[in-house]
Amino acid sequence: MTKIRIAVQKSGRLNEDSLKILKDCGISIDNGKDQLKATARNFPLEVFYLRNGDIPQYLRDGVVDIAIIGENVLVEKGKDIIIAEKLNFSRCRVSLAVPKSAKYDSIQDLKGKRIATSYPNTVKEYLAKQGVEAELHIISGSVEIAPNIGLADAICDIVSSGSTLFKNNLKEVEVMLKSEAVLAVSPKISNDCKEILKKIQFRIQSVLQGRRNKYVLLNAPNDKLEDIISILPGMRSPTVLPLAEKGWSSVHSVIQSDTFWEVIDELKQAGAEGILVCPIEKMVV
């Protein structure tokens, strides 16, 4: 039986988020501690636990068929790799930072400066577009310390909350790119594995749709029903059911998470009562 091989980061937050979305897709993985490979119990899938920076080459060589990986890693090491799906988690940005005490007005201030980074290709491309030449020091590991020990005038690194920069007395001055986890596909994937990939994508899309929406139930007086329905975006149109109490109806609909509070405020002002909000596990559209 054909099994699709997926690479995920060996450890860290991306590892946890990757395994969570596979679990939410109903894929059960037998993974013991320190295993480098595991098999799904109920789906034709094998998981390879790899170093993030090695995954693009494994995809390119066809050692794995697909991977959950940070988009920033593909920009740096795998621009030829196809992205099948953006996964809306493990978001970060790749940014330039300088010491807080440094004067910085624009990217031109980095001309001739020393920049420490583990993303040399990303930095070179960005600086070239800005017409800036700088000296790059390629470091694998913690680059934040480089300005403090006199190795560099600036750094390029991944930024999530910015707390690491703050602790190292640095300030973010340029966002070069924004990144999130993506589902990447090997150029050597077989036709059989492409069929399995379609099933995985369908499940992932259903999970992501669920995460992006909330299920809402509310009570509405019938004389305000039209106004309340007009506020609800819904999938097509909300479900309206009569309540036991005369003159009232129950309205069921779906609201996008990113506009949730604004819509709820409008619903209350329009006369909605007893608003109940539920998470959506999966949403098949």
Side-chain angles (χ1 to χ4, degrees):
M1 181 182 179
T2 301
K3 291 185 179 180
I4 195 166
R5 298 159 299 175
I6 184 170
V8 301
Q9 186 174 303
K10 193 174 179 180
S11 59
R13 184 183 166 193
L14 184 53
N15 166 276
E16 294 168 7
D17 289 342
S18 300
L19 295 178
K20 185 178 188 310
I21 197 167
L22 291 175
K23 183 180 179 182
D24 290 347
C25 287
I27 299 173
S28 301
I29 299 163
D30 292 317
N31 58 315
K33 188 178 179 183
D34 298 327
Q35 273 188 291
L36 296 179
K37 189 173 119 175
T39 303
R41 290 197 302 270
N42 58 348
F43 195 84
L45 177 139
E46 287 182 324
V47 182
F48 289 69
Y49 300 96
L50 304 171
R51 286 180 66 251
N52 215 27
D54 294 337
I55 291 176
Q57 193 59 49
Y58 279 99
L59 285 166
R60 200 175 283 117
D61 293 341
V63 176
V64 294
D65 303 300
I66 57 176
I68 296 177
I69 186 172
E71 190 176 3
N72 57 294
V73 180
L74 292 185
V75 170
E76 177 65 24
K77 294 185 173 183
K79 282 197 167 183
D80 55 322
I81 304 295
I82 294 169
I83 293 174
E85 202 79 43
K86 293 200 172 187
L87 301 177
N88 203 32
F89 60 78
S90 294
R91 291 187 170 181
C92 66
R93 52 196 183 272
V94 180
S95 297
L96 289 165
V98 300
K100 288 180 183 176
S101 59
K103 179 180 177 293
Y104 189 91
D105 296 318
S106 74
I107 189 70
Q108 302 303 317
D109 291 332
L110 294 180
K111 279 186 177 179
K113 300 291 187 180
R114 299 165 299 164
I115 303 174
T117 184
S118 49
Y119 294 90
N121 295 328
T122 303
V123 178
K124 282 177 189 174
E125 186 174 330
Y126 185 80
L127 293 180
K129 287 178 181 176
Q130 305 295 328
V132 173
E133 289 188 12
E135 181 184 339
L136 298 188
H137 287 269
I138 302 171
I139 298 176
S140 58
S142 301
V143 299
E144 298 89 356
I145 197 173
N148 293 328
I149 61 175
L151 181 63
D153 304 296
I155 68 161
C156 162
D157 202 11
I158 290 176
V159 179
S160 294
S161 65
S163 61
T164 304
L165 294 181
F166 180 80
K167 289 174 187 175
N168 286 277
N169 208 32
L170 299 171
K171 60 183 178 183
E172 187 178 7
V173 293
E174 297 279 338
V175 177
M176 294 190 296
L177 66 93
K178 293 182 178 179
S179 173
E180 64 184 273
V182 297
L183 182 67
V185 183
S186 167
K188 295 186 177 181
I189 187 171
S190 68
N191 288 332
D192 287 343
C193 285
K194 282 180 183 177
E195 292 303 311
I196 301 172
L197 174 59
K198 287 179 185 176
K199 294 179 182 178
I200 293 174
Q201 277 190 266
F202 172 75
R203 295 189 185 194
I204 286 175
Q205 288 163 2
S206 298
V207 170
L208 294 179
Q209 281 282 5
R211 291 181 182 179
R212 285 192 286 260
N213 292 277
K214 303 285 186 186
Y215 190 74
V216 177
L217 302 86
L218 59 89
N219 296 331
N222 288 345
D223 59 347
K224 296 181 179 177
L225 199 54
E226 192 173 325
D227 291 338
I228 288 171
I229 289 173
S230 70
I231 295 167
L232 291 165
M235 293 172 70
R236 286 191 180 171
S237 63
T239 301
V240 180
L241 302 169
L243 289 178
E245 185 178 345
K246 193 174 179 181
W248 284 79
S249 295
S250 174
V251 181
H252 300 215
S253 189
V254 171
I255 300 177
Q256 289 185 356
S257 298
D258 56 359
T259 59
F260 171 77
W261 288 112
E262 291 84 352
V263 173
I264 291 296
D265 288 340
E266 286 186 60
L267 289 171
K268 286 182 67 180
Q269 289 174 9
E273 296 181 12
I275 301 172
L276 179 64
V277 181
C278 305
I280 300 173
E281 189 173 309
K282 279 96 178 172
M283 186 170 164
V284 181
V285 293

